[in-house]
Amino acid sequence: MALPLPLLGLLSLSLFLIPTTSATSGIRLGIIRKPFSPIDPPVFREAPAFRNGRVCGSQPMDRIHIAMTLDANYLRGTMAAVFSILQHSTCPENFEFHFLWVRYEPDVLASIKSTFPYLHFNVFRFDSNRVRGKISKSIRQALDQPLNYARIYLADILPPHVKRIIYLDSDLVVVDDIGKLWEVDLEGKVLAAPEYCHANFTKYFTNLFWSDRNLSSTFDGRKPCYFNTGVMVVDIEKWRQGGYTQKVEEWMAVQKQRRIYHLGSLPPFLLVLGGNIKAVDHRWNQHGLGGDNLEGKCRSLHPGPISLLHWSGKGKPWLRLDSRKPCVVDHLWAPYDLYRSSTHSLE
């Protein structure tokens, strides 16, 4: 019998207890048989058990920590992401997943347990009140959800034994051993991510921002480049010591008063860390596959090797596949879809 996990972070002890593993005694959990809706998550097939290779250690130092948000609307994407990570990993038993949600959703929790009976995971509550008054309306409603801002508070929510984390969005799949990304040398930086210096950095901020030297001077002495916050390696200790949560919040307060950007939680990250991160290979975030944030039109793959496919933007592969109007790249996501009613993988 798995021991109950002490609820850490912002979770009330009176709310519920969650085991660190979904099954350790060989007992298979029952399947939740409910149709999909925002409040009734879909039924998923059980994933196979993945075992460590001979080179894998079994000490706490060998643990790889992954953080993701969790809610019913994106659960299908989360399942595919987790499945892809485990399938391509050399040491799948060394993963410890840290899921962040806004509220206790028993069906969502049951779906994870029944789909991944051997998964080591914790679930923490993110208190949406922390950002409720700080969020400014953006160009897409999904970007305004409080859970979209949870990545800012990882250092406050995660337990002390987590020193480093890979943060991942739910609309991606990994097609390489993510242990390679975990081992990146941060070289003293607080964050590592692929940088895209060819992108027009100015478009992420309004004319008001660039015309006000008190604001735009924040980039003086830096050569800021765009990076996507859906794939990040974060030194949690350095983040905490440097007070980066407060720094991001300060820019969110400016945005609330003066409207200096248009896109959710991304721009304040750029304001604080743009030009001061450890750049990793672009193969670790083939982003933008969901199209732009307004129409979500189809996009093709960027040239070069690929380790991670990311459907950032409005279009999500599971919705386009179900509508029978998929983009070509959506068929690269389909093999990782564990939703029981899916037929696209057979077509």
Short mmCIF file of all heavy atoms in Angstrom, two decimals, residues 115-167:
data_model
loop_
_atom_site.label_atom_id
_atom_site.label_comp_id
_atom_site.label_asym_id
_atom_site.label_seq_id
_atom_site.Cartn_x
_atom_site.Cartn_y
_atom_site.Cartn_z
N THR A 115 -4.35 5.13 -15.87
CA THR A 115 -3.60 5.13 -17.13
C THR A 115 -2.13 4.80 -16.92
O THR A 115 -1.51 4.11 -17.72
CB THR A 115 -3.73 6.49 -17.83
OG1 THR A 115 -5.11 6.80 -18.02
CG2 THR A 115 -3.03 6.49 -19.18
N PHE A 116 -1.57 5.31 -15.81
CA PHE A 116 -0.16 5.10 -15.50
C PHE A 116 -0.04 4.51 -14.08
O PHE A 116 0.31 5.22 -13.13
CB PHE A 116 0.62 6.41 -15.58
CG PHE A 116 0.55 7.09 -16.92
CD1 PHE A 116 -0.24 8.21 -17.12
CD2 PHE A 116 1.28 6.60 -17.99
CE1 PHE A 116 -0.30 8.84 -18.35
CE2 PHE A 116 1.23 7.21 -19.24
CZ PHE A 116 0.44 8.33 -19.42
N PRO A 117 -0.35 3.22 -13.91
CA PRO A 117 -0.37 2.63 -12.56
C PRO A 117 0.96 2.69 -11.82
O PRO A 117 0.98 2.62 -10.60
CB PRO A 117 -0.78 1.17 -12.82
CG PRO A 117 -1.44 1.18 -14.16
CD PRO A 117 -0.75 2.24 -14.93
N TYR A 118 2.07 2.82 -12.55
CA TYR A 118 3.38 2.78 -11.90
C TYR A 118 4.05 4.14 -11.85
O TYR A 118 5.23 4.24 -11.49
CB TYR A 118 4.28 1.79 -12.65
CG TYR A 118 3.64 0.42 -12.81
CD1 TYR A 118 3.05 0.05 -14.02
CD2 TYR A 118 3.59 -0.47 -11.75
CE1 TYR A 118 2.43 -1.17 -14.17
CE2 TYR A 118 2.98 -1.71 -11.89
CZ TYR A 118 2.40 -2.05 -13.10
OH TYR A 118 1.78 -3.27 -13.24
N LEU A 119 3.33 5.18 -12.18
CA LEU A 119 3.91 6.51 -12.26
C LEU A 119 4.15 7.10 -10.88
O LEU A 119 3.29 7.05 -10.00
CB LEU A 119 2.98 7.45 -13.05
CG LEU A 119 3.56 8.79 -13.46
CD1 LEU A 119 4.64 8.60 -14.53
CD2 LEU A 119 2.45 9.71 -13.99
N HIS A 120 5.35 7.66 -10.68
CA HIS A 120 5.65 8.40 -9.46
C HIS A 120 5.20 9.84 -9.69
O HIS A 120 5.74 10.53 -10.56
CB HIS A 120 7.15 8.38 -9.16
CG HIS A 120 7.68 7.01 -8.89
ND1 HIS A 120 7.60 6.38 -7.67
CD2 HIS A 120 8.31 6.12 -9.71
CE1 HIS A 120 8.15 5.19 -7.73
NE2 HIS A 120 8.58 5.00 -8.96
N PHE A 121 4.21 10.29 -8.93
CA PHE A 121 3.75 11.66 -9.13
C PHE A 121 3.17 12.25 -7.85
O PHE A 121 2.72 11.54 -6.95
CB PHE A 121 2.71 11.73 -10.27
CG PHE A 121 1.35 11.16 -9.94
CD1 PHE A 121 0.34 11.98 -9.44
CD2 PHE A 121 1.07 9.82 -10.14
CE1 PHE A 121 -0.92 11.47 -9.16
CE2 PHE A 121 -0.17 9.29 -9.85
CZ PHE A 121 -1.18 10.12 -9.36
N ASN A 122 3.22 13.57 -7.81
CA ASN A 122 2.62 14.36 -6.74
C ASN A 122 1.68 15.37 -7.38
O ASN A 122 1.86 15.76 -8.54
CB ASN A 122 3.68 15.12 -5.94
CG ASN A 122 4.85 14.25 -5.55
OD1 ASN A 122 4.68 13.17 -5.01
ND2 ASN A 122 6.06 14.71 -5.85
N VAL A 123 0.68 15.79 -6.65
CA VAL A 123 -0.23 16.82 -7.14
C VAL A 123 -0.29 17.93 -6.09
O VAL A 123 -0.46 17.67 -4.90
CB VAL A 123 -1.63 16.27 -7.41
CG1 VAL A 123 -2.56 17.37 -7.93
CG2 VAL A 123 -1.59 15.12 -8.40
N PHE A 124 -0.12 19.17 -6.54
CA PHE A 124 -0.14 20.32 -5.65
C PHE A 124 -1.19 21.31 -6.11
O PHE A 124 -1.40 21.50 -7.31
CB PHE A 124 1.23 21.03 -5.64
CG PHE A 124 2.36 20.12 -5.27
CD1 PHE A 124 3.14 19.52 -6.25
CD2 PHE A 124 2.67 19.88 -3.94
CE1 PHE A 124 4.19 18.68 -5.91
CE2 PHE A 124 3.72 19.04 -3.59
CZ PHE A 124 4.47 18.44 -4.57
N ARG A 125 -1.82 21.95 -5.17
CA ARG A 125 -2.81 22.96 -5.51
C ARG A 125 -2.14 24.30 -5.72
O ARG A 125 -1.35 24.75 -4.90
CB ARG A 125 -3.86 23.08 -4.41
CG ARG A 125 -4.90 24.17 -4.70
CD ARG A 125 -6.03 24.16 -3.70
NE ARG A 125 -6.92 25.30 -3.93
CZ ARG A 125 -6.89 26.43 -3.22
NH1 ARG A 125 -6.03 26.57 -2.24
NH2 ARG A 125 -7.73 27.41 -3.50
N PHE A 126 -2.45 24.92 -6.86
CA PHE A 126 -2.03 26.28 -7.11
C PHE A 126 -3.16 27.22 -6.73
O PHE A 126 -4.27 27.11 -7.27
CB PHE A 126 -1.64 26.47 -8.58
CG PHE A 126 -1.44 27.91 -8.97
CD1 PHE A 126 -0.43 28.66 -8.37
CD2 PHE A 126 -2.25 28.52 -9.90
CE1 PHE A 126 -0.25 29.99 -8.70
CE2 PHE A 126 -2.07 29.85 -10.25
CZ PHE A 126 -1.07 30.58 -9.65
N ASP A 127 -2.91 28.11 -5.82
CA ASP A 127 -3.92 29.04 -5.35
C ASP A 127 -4.11 30.14 -6.39
O ASP A 127 -3.26 31.03 -6.52
CB ASP A 127 -3.51 29.63 -4.00
CG ASP A 127 -4.57 30.53 -3.40
OD1 ASP A 127 -5.63 30.71 -4.04
OD2 ASP A 127 -4.35 31.06 -2.30
N SER A 128 -5.20 30.08 -7.12
CA SER A 128 -5.42 31.05 -8.20
C SER A 128 -5.57 32.47 -7.68
O SER A 128 -5.42 33.43 -8.46
CB SER A 128 -6.67 30.66 -9.01
OG SER A 128 -7.82 30.63 -8.18
N ASN A 129 -5.84 32.64 -6.40
CA ASN A 129 -5.94 33.99 -5.84
C ASN A 129 -4.62 34.74 -5.91
O ASN A 129 -4.60 35.97 -5.83
CB ASN A 129 -6.43 33.92 -4.39
CG ASN A 129 -7.88 33.49 -4.30
OD1 ASN A 129 -8.71 33.85 -5.14
ND2 ASN A 129 -8.21 32.69 -3.29
N ARG A 130 -3.53 34.01 -6.06
CA ARG A 130 -2.22 34.66 -6.13
C ARG A 130 -2.08 35.52 -7.38
O ARG A 130 -1.30 36.47 -7.40
CB ARG A 130 -1.10 33.62 -6.09
CG ARG A 130 -1.03 32.84 -4.80
CD ARG A 130 0.33 32.20 -4.62
NE ARG A 130 1.39 33.18 -4.44
CZ ARG A 130 2.63 32.88 -4.07
NH1 ARG A 130 2.96 31.61 -3.84
NH2 ARG A 130 3.55 33.81 -3.94
N VAL A 131 -2.82 35.19 -8.42
CA VAL A 131 -2.71 35.95 -9.66
C VAL A 131 -4.02 36.58 -10.11
O VAL A 131 -4.06 37.29 -11.12
CB VAL A 131 -2.17 35.06 -10.81
CG1 VAL A 131 -0.75 34.63 -10.53
CG2 VAL A 131 -3.06 33.85 -11.02
N ARG A 132 -5.10 36.34 -9.37
CA ARG A 132 -6.41 36.77 -9.83
C ARG A 132 -6.44 38.27 -10.15
O ARG A 132 -7.00 38.70 -11.14
CB ARG A 132 -7.46 36.44 -8.76
CG ARG A 132 -8.88 36.60 -9.22
CD ARG A 132 -9.28 35.50 -10.20
NE ARG A 132 -9.39 34.20 -9.57
CZ ARG A 132 -9.76 33.09 -10.19
NH1 ARG A 132 -10.01 33.14 -11.48
NH2 ARG A 132 -9.83 31.95 -9.56
N GLY A 133 -5.84 39.08 -9.33
CA GLY A 133 -5.85 40.52 -9.57
C GLY A 133 -4.68 41.01 -10.39
O GLY A 133 -4.56 42.22 -10.63
N LYS A 134 -3.82 40.10 -10.83
CA LYS A 134 -2.62 40.49 -11.57
C LYS A 134 -2.71 40.19 -13.06
O LYS A 134 -1.86 40.62 -13.84
CB LYS A 134 -1.39 39.77 -10.99
CG LYS A 134 -1.11 40.06 -9.51
CD LYS A 134 0.14 39.33 -9.06
CE LYS A 134 0.47 39.61 -7.60
NZ LYS A 134 -0.48 38.96 -6.69
N ILE A 135 -3.71 39.42 -13.48
CA ILE A 135 -3.82 39.00 -14.88
C ILE A 135 -4.50 40.08 -15.70
O ILE A 135 -5.56 40.60 -15.33
CB ILE A 135 -4.62 37.68 -14.99
CG1 ILE A 135 -3.88 36.55 -14.27
CG2 ILE A 135 -4.85 37.32 -16.45
CD1 ILE A 135 -4.64 35.24 -14.25
N SER A 136 -3.89 40.42 -16.82
CA SER A 136 -4.48 41.36 -17.76
C SER A 136 -5.00 40.60 -18.97
O SER A 136 -4.41 39.59 -19.39
CB SER A 136 -3.44 42.39 -18.22
OG SER A 136 -2.95 43.13 -17.12
N LYS A 137 -6.06 41.06 -19.56
CA LYS A 137 -6.67 40.39 -20.70
C LYS A 137 -5.69 40.33 -21.85
O LYS A 137 -5.06 41.32 -22.20
CB LYS A 137 -7.94 41.13 -21.12
CG LYS A 137 -8.75 40.40 -22.19
CD LYS A 137 -10.04 41.12 -22.48
CE LYS A 137 -10.85 40.41 -23.55
NZ LYS A 137 -11.18 39.03 -23.20
N SER A 138 -5.56 39.14 -22.47
CA SER A 138 -4.65 38.96 -23.59
C SER A 138 -5.45 38.67 -24.86
O SER A 138 -6.69 38.74 -24.86
CB SER A 138 -3.66 37.82 -23.30
OG SER A 138 -4.34 36.60 -23.12
N ILE A 139 -4.75 38.32 -25.94
CA ILE A 139 -5.43 38.16 -27.22
C ILE A 139 -6.14 36.81 -27.34
O ILE A 139 -6.88 36.60 -28.30
CB ILE A 139 -4.44 38.31 -28.39
CG1 ILE A 139 -3.37 37.22 -28.33
CG2 ILE A 139 -3.81 39.69 -28.38
CD1 ILE A 139 -2.42 37.26 -29.52
N ARG A 140 -5.93 35.88 -26.40
CA ARG A 140 -6.62 34.60 -26.43
C ARG A 140 -7.02 34.22 -25.02
O ARG A 140 -6.21 34.28 -24.09
CB ARG A 140 -5.71 33.52 -27.04
CG ARG A 140 -6.40 32.17 -27.20
CD ARG A 140 -5.70 31.31 -28.25
NE ARG A 140 -4.35 30.95 -27.89
CZ ARG A 140 -4.03 29.83 -27.24
NH1 ARG A 140 -4.96 28.98 -26.86
NH2 ARG A 140 -2.76 29.56 -26.97
N GLN A 141 -8.29 33.81 -24.83
CA GLN A 141 -8.84 33.57 -23.51
C GLN A 141 -8.06 32.51 -22.74
O GLN A 141 -7.89 32.61 -21.52
CB GLN A 141 -10.30 33.17 -23.62
CG GLN A 141 -11.02 33.04 -22.27
CD GLN A 141 -12.50 32.71 -22.42
OE1 GLN A 141 -12.99 32.52 -23.53
NE2 GLN A 141 -13.20 32.66 -21.32
N ALA A 142 -7.58 31.49 -23.44
CA ALA A 142 -6.86 30.41 -22.76
C ALA A 142 -5.61 30.93 -22.05
O ALA A 142 -5.18 30.36 -21.04
CB ALA A 142 -6.48 29.32 -23.75
N LEU A 143 -5.03 32.01 -22.56
CA LEU A 143 -3.82 32.58 -21.96
C LEU A 143 -4.12 33.34 -20.68
O LEU A 143 -3.21 33.66 -19.93
CB LEU A 143 -3.13 33.51 -22.96
CG LEU A 143 -2.69 32.88 -24.28
CD1 LEU A 143 -2.09 33.93 -25.20
CD2 LEU A 143 -1.69 31.75 -24.04
N ASP A 144 -5.41 33.62 -20.44
CA ASP A 144 -5.80 34.39 -19.26
C ASP A 144 -6.12 33.51 -18.05
O ASP A 144 -6.44 34.03 -16.98
CB ASP A 144 -7.02 35.26 -19.58
CG ASP A 144 -6.75 36.24 -20.70
OD1 ASP A 144 -5.56 36.54 -20.94
OD2 ASP A 144 -7.72 36.71 -21.32
N GLN A 145 -6.08 32.19 -18.22
CA GLN A 145 -6.44 31.30 -17.11
C GLN A 145 -5.36 31.33 -16.03
O GLN A 145 -4.16 31.31 -16.32
CB GLN A 145 -6.61 29.87 -17.62
CG GLN A 145 -7.69 29.74 -18.69
CD GLN A 145 -9.02 30.29 -18.24
OE1 GLN A 145 -9.52 29.94 -17.17
NE2 GLN A 145 -9.62 31.16 -19.05
N PRO A 146 -5.77 31.40 -14.76
CA PRO A 146 -4.78 31.46 -13.67
C PRO A 146 -3.74 30.36 -13.73
O PRO A 146 -2.56 30.60 -13.42
CB PRO A 146 -5.66 31.34 -12.41
CG PRO A 146 -6.97 31.91 -12.82
CD PRO A 146 -7.15 31.50 -14.26
N LEU A 147 -4.15 29.14 -14.13
CA LEU A 147 -3.20 28.03 -14.16
C LEU A 147 -2.07 28.27 -15.15
O LEU A 147 -0.98 27.71 -15.00
CB LEU A 147 -3.94 26.73 -14.50
CG LEU A 147 -3.23 25.42 -14.16
CD1 LEU A 147 -2.88 25.34 -12.69
CD2 LEU A 147 -4.10 24.23 -14.56
N ASN A 148 -2.30 29.11 -16.14
CA ASN A 148 -1.25 29.46 -17.11
C ASN A 148 -0.10 30.20 -16.44
O ASN A 148 1.01 30.26 -16.98
CB ASN A 148 -1.85 30.31 -18.23
CG ASN A 148 -0.92 30.48 -19.40
OD1 ASN A 148 -0.28 29.53 -19.85
ND2 ASN A 148 -0.80 31.70 -19.89
N TYR A 149 -0.35 30.75 -15.26
CA TYR A 149 0.66 31.52 -14.53
C TYR A 149 1.33 30.71 -13.42
O TYR A 149 2.21 31.21 -12.73
CB TYR A 149 0.02 32.77 -13.93
CG TYR A 149 -0.37 33.81 -14.97
CD1 TYR A 149 -1.54 33.65 -15.71
CD2 TYR A 149 0.43 34.90 -15.22
CE1 TYR A 149 -1.91 34.58 -16.67
CE2 TYR A 149 0.07 35.85 -16.18
CZ TYR A 149 -1.09 35.68 -16.91
OH TYR A 149 -1.44 36.59 -17.87
N ALA A 150 0.92 29.45 -13.25
CA ALA A 150 1.46 28.64 -12.16
C ALA A 150 2.95 28.44 -12.26
O ALA A 150 3.65 28.30 -11.24
CB ALA A 150 0.74 27.29 -12.11
N ARG A 151 3.50 28.44 -13.48
CA ARG A 151 4.94 28.22 -13.68
C ARG A 151 5.79 29.28 -12.97
O ARG A 151 6.95 29.05 -12.67
CB ARG A 151 5.25 28.17 -15.17
CG ARG A 151 5.12 29.48 -15.91
CD ARG A 151 5.03 29.29 -17.41
NE ARG A 151 3.70 28.86 -17.80
CZ ARG A 151 3.38 28.43 -19.02
NH1 ARG A 151 4.31 28.37 -19.97
NH2 ARG A 151 2.15 28.06 -19.31
N ILE A 152 5.21 30.44 -12.72
CA ILE A 152 5.92 31.52 -12.03
C ILE A 152 6.18 31.15 -10.57
O ILE A 152 7.15 31.62 -9.96
CB ILE A 152 5.11 32.83 -12.10
CG1 ILE A 152 4.92 33.26 -13.56
CG2 ILE A 152 5.77 33.94 -11.30
CD1 ILE A 152 3.91 34.39 -13.73
N TYR A 153 5.34 30.26 -10.02
CA TYR A 153 5.35 30.00 -8.58
C TYR A 153 5.91 28.61 -8.22
O TYR A 153 5.69 28.13 -7.11
CB TYR A 153 3.93 30.16 -8.03
CG TYR A 153 3.39 31.55 -8.24
CD1 TYR A 153 2.64 31.87 -9.37
CD2 TYR A 153 3.65 32.57 -7.32
CE1 TYR A 153 2.16 33.15 -9.59
CE2 TYR A 153 3.17 33.86 -7.53
CZ TYR A 153 2.43 34.14 -8.66
OH TYR A 153 1.96 35.41 -8.87
N LEU A 154 6.61 27.99 -9.15
CA LEU A 154 7.15 26.66 -8.89
C LEU A 154 8.02 26.63 -7.64
O LEU A 154 7.96 25.68 -6.84
CB LEU A 154 7.96 26.18 -10.10
CG LEU A 154 7.18 25.85 -11.36
CD1 LEU A 154 8.14 25.59 -12.52
CD2 LEU A 154 6.27 24.65 -11.14
N ALA A 155 8.83 27.65 -7.45
CA ALA A 155 9.74 27.67 -6.29
C ALA A 155 8.99 27.75 -4.97
O ALA A 155 9.50 27.32 -3.93
CB ALA A 155 10.71 28.85 -6.41
N ASP A 156 7.79 28.30 -4.99
CA ASP A 156 6.98 28.39 -3.77
C ASP A 156 6.19 27.12 -3.52
O ASP A 156 5.88 26.80 -2.37
CB ASP A 156 5.99 29.57 -3.89
CG ASP A 156 6.68 30.91 -4.05
OD1 ASP A 156 7.86 31.01 -3.65
OD2 ASP A 156 6.04 31.84 -4.57
N ILE A 157 5.86 26.40 -4.57
CA ILE A 157 4.95 25.25 -4.45
C ILE A 157 5.69 23.93 -4.25
O ILE A 157 5.28 23.09 -3.46
CB ILE A 157 4.05 25.17 -5.70
CG1 ILE A 157 3.19 26.43 -5.81
CG2 ILE A 157 3.17 23.93 -5.65
CD1 ILE A 157 2.40 26.51 -7.11
N LEU A 158 6.79 23.75 -4.96
CA LEU A 158 7.47 22.46 -4.94
C LEU A 158 8.21 22.24 -3.62
O LEU A 158 8.67 23.20 -2.99
CB LEU A 158 8.46 22.36 -6.10
CG LEU A 158 7.83 22.42 -7.50
CD1 LEU A 158 8.91 22.39 -8.57
CD2 LEU A 158 6.86 21.25 -7.70
N PRO A 159 8.33 20.99 -3.18
CA PRO A 159 9.01 20.68 -1.92
C PRO A 159 10.51 20.95 -1.99
O PRO A 159 11.10 21.01 -3.08
CB PRO A 159 8.72 19.19 -1.71
CG PRO A 159 8.44 18.66 -3.09
CD PRO A 159 7.78 19.77 -3.83
N PRO A 160 11.15 21.12 -0.83
CA PRO A 160 12.57 21.52 -0.79
C PRO A 160 13.53 20.55 -1.48
O PRO A 160 14.59 20.97 -1.93
CB PRO A 160 12.86 21.59 0.72
CG PRO A 160 11.53 21.83 1.35
CD PRO A 160 10.55 21.09 0.52
N HIS A 161 13.17 19.27 -1.55
CA HIS A 161 14.11 18.32 -2.15
C HIS A 161 14.21 18.48 -3.68
O HIS A 161 15.11 17.92 -4.30
CB HIS A 161 13.72 16.88 -1.80
CG HIS A 161 12.53 16.35 -2.55
ND1 HIS A 161 11.24 16.55 -2.13
CD2 HIS A 161 12.44 15.62 -3.70
CE1 HIS A 161 10.40 15.97 -2.97
NE2 HIS A 161 11.10 15.40 -3.94
N VAL A 162 13.31 19.24 -4.27
CA VAL A 162 13.36 19.47 -5.72
C VAL A 162 14.26 20.68 -5.97
O VAL A 162 13.88 21.81 -5.71
CB VAL A 162 11.96 19.71 -6.30
CG1 VAL A 162 12.05 19.95 -7.81
CG2 VAL A 162 11.04 18.54 -6.00
N LYS A 163 15.45 20.43 -6.47
CA LYS A 163 16.44 21.49 -6.71
C LYS A 163 16.38 22.02 -8.16
O LYS A 163 16.73 23.16 -8.41
CB LYS A 163 17.85 20.97 -6.45
CG LYS A 163 18.01 20.25 -5.12
CD LYS A 163 17.74 21.16 -3.93
CE LYS A 163 18.02 20.41 -2.62
NZ LYS A 163 17.67 21.24 -1.44
N ARG A 164 15.97 21.15 -9.06
CA ARG A 164 15.91 21.49 -10.49
C ARG A 164 14.65 20.87 -11.05
O ARG A 164 14.22 19.80 -10.60
CB ARG A 164 17.15 20.97 -11.21
CG ARG A 164 17.07 21.06 -12.73
CD ARG A 164 18.24 20.38 -13.41
NE ARG A 164 19.48 21.16 -13.31
CZ ARG A 164 20.40 21.26 -14.27
NH1 ARG A 164 20.22 20.63 -15.41
NH2 ARG A 164 21.48 21.96 -14.09
N ILE A 165 14.04 21.53 -12.03
CA ILE A 165 12.80 21.03 -12.60
C ILE A 165 12.81 21.28 -14.09
O ILE A 165 13.39 22.26 -14.58
CB ILE A 165 11.57 21.72 -11.95
CG1 ILE A 165 10.28 20.94 -12.22
CG2 ILE A 165 11.44 23.16 -12.41
CD1 ILE A 165 10.08 19.80 -11.29
N ILE A 166 12.22 20.35 -14.84
CA ILE A 166 11.87 20.63 -16.24
C ILE A 166 10.39 20.97 -16.25
O ILE A 166 9.56 20.15 -15.85
CB ILE A 166 12.14 19.43 -17.16
CG1 ILE A 166 13.62 19.07 -17.20
CG2 ILE A 166 11.65 19.73 -18.58
CD1 ILE A 166 13.93 17.85 -18.06
N TYR A 167 10.06 22.18 -16.68
CA TYR A 167 8.66 22.55 -16.81
C TYR A 167 8.21 22.33 -18.26
O TYR A 167 8.90 22.75 -19.20
CB TYR A 167 8.42 24.02 -16.43
CG TYR A 167 6.97 24.42 -16.65
CD1 TYR A 167 6.02 24.17 -15.67
CD2 TYR A 167 6.56 24.98 -17.85
CE1 TYR A 167 4.69 24.47 -15.88
CE2 TYR A 167 5.23 25.29 -18.07
CZ TYR A 167 4.30 25.04 -17.08
OH TYR A 167 2.97 25.34 -17.30
#
